[in-house]
Amino acid sequence: MSAQTAAVPFWRAAGMTYIGYSNICASLVRGCLKEPFKSEAASREAVHFSVAKWADGNQEKPRSSERSCDWDWPSP
């Protein structure tokens, strides 16, 4: 079977990444939950990360952030 005739996952055919697709699915599932499961899932959806810029081979002071997983994901 050639690459042109092989089945392509629908999320790939729609121009999405698997991570974007799985985040949309997770958001929908969290929205369908009933209490107390909904509030427990909402407490786990926050993402903590740090961003550090590099200039001339040296790392600047990292900046911490917190975001919800309900972001608008950029198109690939």
Side-chain angles (χ1 to χ4, degrees):
M1 182 179 274
S2 71
Q4 293 177 348
T5 61
V8 176
F10 65 90
W11 50 266
R12 176 74 66 195
M16 299 175 68
T17 64
Y18 182 75
I19 297 295
Y21 164 72
S22 64
N23 281 328
I24 291 170
C25 291
S27 178
L28 291 171
V29 169
R30 283 191 300 269
C32 293
L33 293 173
K34 294 182 180 179
E35 290 298 338
F37 306 110
K38 190 173 196 172
S39 59
E40 290 176 18
S43 68
R44 290 191 303 263
E45 77 176 292
V47 176
H48 302 276
F49 62 94
S50 64
V51 176
K53 293 186 179 181
W54 289 76
D56 299 323
N58 296 319
Q59 181 182 2
E60 296 177 3
K61 184 176 179 181
R63 178 178 55 92
S64 295
S65 294
E66 178 180 332
R67 291 190 180 172
S68 170
C69 288
D70 293 330
W71 316 336
D72 290 331
W73 291 92
S75 299

